Amino acid sequence: MAFWNRKKTDSQPGTGEGLDLSRLPRHVGIIMDGNGRWAKKRGLPRTAGHAAGAESFRTIAYYCKDLGIPYLTVYAFSTENWKRPMEEVSAIMNLLQNYLLEALEKMERDGFRVHFFGDLEGLPPKLRDLCLRTLEEGDALDGTRFQVNVCLNYGGRDEILRAAKAWAADVQAGRQTPEALTDELFSRYLDSRGVPDPDLIIRPSGELRLSNFLPWQSAYAEFYFTDVLWPDFGPAVLDQALIDYQRRQRRFGGV
């Protein structure tokens, strides 16, 4: 599947109608959920749902870029997803591998880069090497680019624990002092360091929970839930989420 080649999809196209393009979120996070249920409804194997979901990701990523949203973070594979059947896990790993190969070909031409949140050491060696190569080549690109953050072997609690261990190691080595710790400083130890916190988190499929997705970063995010399954999530649904976001007043604890 060509993830970064533009082509028509079955999803209703977005028009941007009703959107204030000057008030778009800077960072959108999406929990890509519902692939398995989408496939089951059609009498297909779950792997077919993941393939359809990969196409939705491609479409939404390009649409966010075209709208001018600088950052998109997607939940691709969690630390808990290893519990799934081996056939399903292998299919997801293959889709991710294909995505990275396509991304390596298209990043420079299409003006985007890819980063990763999660423990890459826990991935199959071939996929891990592709991730590292994608990071290296993306970081070498000049200019401001749309950035896709892929949460891969990611869990929010695991991220915080890894950050805490790194902080403790720096304290033990004398590079930090306990008194110096602040929210901002601790954030530099997270996978998301250098990336602004998400303004909007979207979860399709009708589930009303975060499922260990960016718990630290989402402290002041707005949430949008929809019953649409991820393979059916197109630009028109994203438009609805963005319009809903723009109707809200964000106070960040103030009045």
Side-chain angles (χ1 to χ4, degrees):
M1 179 178 296
F3 286 83
W4 293 96
N5 288 326
R6 291 180 180 274
K7 59 184 178 181
K8 293 181 180 179
T9 69
D10 294 332
S11 301
Q12 184 179 356
T15 64
E17 185 177 353
L19 286 176
D20 181 349
L21 297 182
S22 69
R23 295 180 54 244
L24 290 170
R26 189 178 180 195
H27 182 180
V28 173
I30 302 180
I31 301 171
M32 302 186 295
D33 191 26
N35 294 339
R37 277 168 282 173
W38 182 91
K40 184 177 180 180
K41 286 173 62 176
R42 289 160 177 76
L44 300 171
R46 290 176 59 86
T47 52
H50 292 303
E55 176 64 16
S56 293
F57 164 58
R58 179 198 66 83
T59 301
I60 291 300
Y62 263 118
Y63 188 56
C64 285
K65 175 181 176 294
D66 291 345
L67 285 175
I69 296 171
Y71 297 94
L72 171 67
T73 299
V74 294
Y75 209 177
F77 193 85
S78 77
T79 50
E80 290 76 28
N81 286 156
W82 297 107
K83 302 173 187 176
R84 296 186 176 187
M86 184 178 298
E87 179 184 1
E88 183 175 349
V89 171
S90 296
I92 294 172
M93 293 296 119
N94 286 335
L95 286 168
L96 288 166
Q97 181 174 305
N98 290 339
Y99 156 61
L100 293 181
L101 290 171
E102 292 287 343
L104 283 166
E105 292 182 6
K106 303 296 192 297
M107 284 193 298
E108 183 172 10
R109 187 195 74 182
D110 291 352
F112 70 93
R113 57 168 51 93
V114 179
H115 277 239
F116 302 94
F117 298 170
D119 184 5
L120 299 184
E121 292 301 316
L123 296 175
K126 187 174 181 179
L127 181 58
R128 182 181 66 244
D129 290 345
L130 268 176
C131 290
L132 296 176
R133 181 183 164 195
T134 303
L135 282 171
E136 182 179 0
E137 294 195 16
D139 288 343
L141 296 175
D142 295 330
T144 301
R145 292 172 179 267
F146 170 65
Q147 181 166 313
V148 179
N149 305 304
V150 179
C151 292
L152 185 52
N153 194 27
Y154 175 86
R157 289 183 175 182
D158 177 72
E159 177 191 24
I160 293 170
L161 285 174
R162 287 187 284 107
K165 290 176 182 178
W167 162 258
D170 279 353
V171 171
Q172 190 173 31
R175 292 186 290 268
Q176 296 286 359
T177 62
E179 297 76 19
L181 186 60
T182 62
D183 283 4
E184 180 182 357
L185 182 56
F186 187 73
S187 293
R188 299 176 193 172
Y189 287 81
L190 297 171
D191 298 338
S192 58
R193 55 189 170 274
V195 176
D197 288 344
D199 302 294
L200 173 64
I201 292 180
I202 301 169
R203 179 157 194 168
S205 85
E207 302 294 347
L208 304 177
R209 57 179 179 268
L210 278 178
S211 295
N212 211 9
F213 179 65
L214 304 180
W216 177 280
Q217 298 88 340
S218 65
Y220 285 102
E222 300 294 325
F223 295 90
Y224 183 85
F225 299 97
T226 175
D227 291 335
V228 175
L229 300 175
W230 176 245
D232 292 328
F233 191 106
V237 185
L238 181 58
D239 281 352
Q240 294 169 11
L242 294 173
I243 289 170
D244 184 83
Y245 166 84
Q246 291 183 343
R247 289 172 179 160
R248 304 183 190 183
Q249 292 186 349
R250 305 185 73 199
R251 298 186 179 89
F252 299 97
V255 177

